[in-house]
Amino acid sequence: MNRYHIFFLSLLLGVLLNPLTSHGQCRDKTTWDNAWTSCTPAASPNPNRGAGHWLLYDLGYEYSLESLHVWNANKAGETTKGVKIMAVDYSNDGQRWTEWGNVNLAEAGGTDYYSGETAADFGMIQARYVLLTAVENHGDPQCNSLHEVSFKLRSGPVTQGNDMWVYPNPATEWINVAFEGAERENLQLEVVNMLGQRLHSEMYLASTGPQKVELNIEEMRPGIYFVRVRRLTGEMVGRSKFVVSR
């Protein structure tokens, strides 16, 4: 689906796993009191993060994430609570997390008008859950704060060729291969490298409608690979490229 959807998310304390809520908000307002502020570290949903100050978003469904826009803490006299370095992780099940990376956020000016900044270009990664963790703020000794976060999302997975999709991409430990099944039939799934060498092969019994197959890629070295799905007659169902990155 090529239709774009932009959701402006009101910030919620990160310990909650609430469904995505959306709202519109004027950017030329004069009050900046309604913000997320965390002064006590809590155990992160991502065990690799330990305890910290974080926000967890459940988008309610797997989306292709395009970009992230952030309004930092902008209340006059409290802008040092604003996040300076923020770690971003994403997941499709809320259990297995992929580290996207860190973003640097400028300190807000504490002025009446503040338009925030585009913090990240996600490149259409596929995710349902997004975890934002404050790594460093702009000087406050205890508290971390953000005013608002906006995700720009595209409904449905991104087509990569022949109506077959691979996500997450880049990936570290596993990938999902998604495609539309035409009928109940046996298919062969293969993973090959850039030289065309077959690294993995398995049979899959497909049915009619959306199909999703999970493949473990922990043993694969970082690099570019292709996954392809064929009928037993040799006819290609789909072929997509993915990247292993660690």
Side-chain angles (χ1 to χ4, degrees):
M1 181 182 296
N2 293 323
R3 183 181 176 187
Y4 284 82
H5 300 268
I6 301 177
F7 294 95
F8 295 101
L9 308 182
S10 55
L11 291 174
L12 302 175
L13 186 62
V15 295
L16 298 178
L17 266 176
N18 288 334
L20 176 66
T21 58
S22 62
H23 70 281
Q25 189 169 47
C26 296
R27 308 301 169 201
D28 58 354
K29 60 184 184 168
T30 58
T31 59
W32 295 89
D33 296 323
N34 183 23
W36 165 81
T37 301
S38 173
C39 300
T40 303
S44 174
N46 181 356
N48 293 331
R49 293 288 178 194
H53 307 277
W54 48 269
L55 286 157
L56 176 63
Y57 287 99
D58 179 356
L59 305 179
Y61 187 76
E62 293 178 6
Y63 287 94
S64 297
L65 276 62
E66 182 173 341
S67 61
L68 168 68
H69 198 94
V70 174
W71 290 261
N72 220 334
N74 192 48
K75 185 176 181 179
E78 297 185 7
T79 60
T80 57
K81 295 179 181 179
V83 177
K84 182 178 182 180
I85 301 176
M86 182 172 68
V88 180
D89 302 314
Y90 63 95
S91 171
N92 288 301
D93 59 11
Q95 302 296 321
R96 295 173 295 185
W97 293 93
T98 298
E99 179 180 354
W100 183 85
N102 291 346
V103 298
N104 297 313
L105 302 173
E107 182 176 358
T111 58
D112 289 347
Y113 182 83
Y114 169 52
S115 59
E117 61 184 297
T118 299
D121 181 355
F122 288 128
M124 298 301 182
I125 59 174
Q126 193 83 5
R128 171 174 173 172
Y129 300 92
V130 180
L131 177 65
L132 307 179
T133 304
V135 177
E136 181 182 343
N137 66 20
H138 283 280
D140 190 272
Q142 183 177 3
C143 298
N144 294 267
S145 183
L146 291 173
H147 177 74
E148 190 174 348
V149 170
S150 168
F151 293 97
K152 189 173 184 180
L153 314 174
R154 178 179 288 188
S155 298
V158 179
T159 300
Q160 296 183 343
N162 298 325
D163 295 324
M164 194 173 81
W165 312 275
V166 175
Y167 64 93
N169 192 6
T172 56
E173 298 177 353
W174 53 276
I175 57 172
N176 285 312
V177 181
F179 58 94
E180 192 75 13
E183 58 182 299
R184 184 177 175 83
E185 60 180 333
N186 286 306
L187 300 174
Q188 184 176 30
L189 279 71
E190 298 177 326
V191 176
V192 299
N193 60 19
M194 293 288 288
L195 299 177
Q197 298 169 325
R198 187 167 59 185
L199 306 179
H200 175 82
S201 179
E202 68 176 68
M203 298 301 297
Y204 172 74
L205 179 59
S207 57
T208 303
Q211 309 293 302
K212 185 172 75 170
V213 186
E214 184 176 305
L215 298 179
N216 188 302
I217 59 169
E218 289 180 302
E219 302 300 322
M220 295 182 187
R221 296 178 180 178
I224 298 174
Y225 298 88
F226 294 91
V227 59
R228 58 195 186 193
V229 178
R230 299 177 183 270
R231 293 188 169 89
L232 299 186
T233 60
E235 179 185 356
M236 184 75 71
V237 173
R239 179 177 182 269
S240 291
K241 179 174 69 175
F242 68 95
V243 177
V244 176
S245 176
R246 298 187 180 91

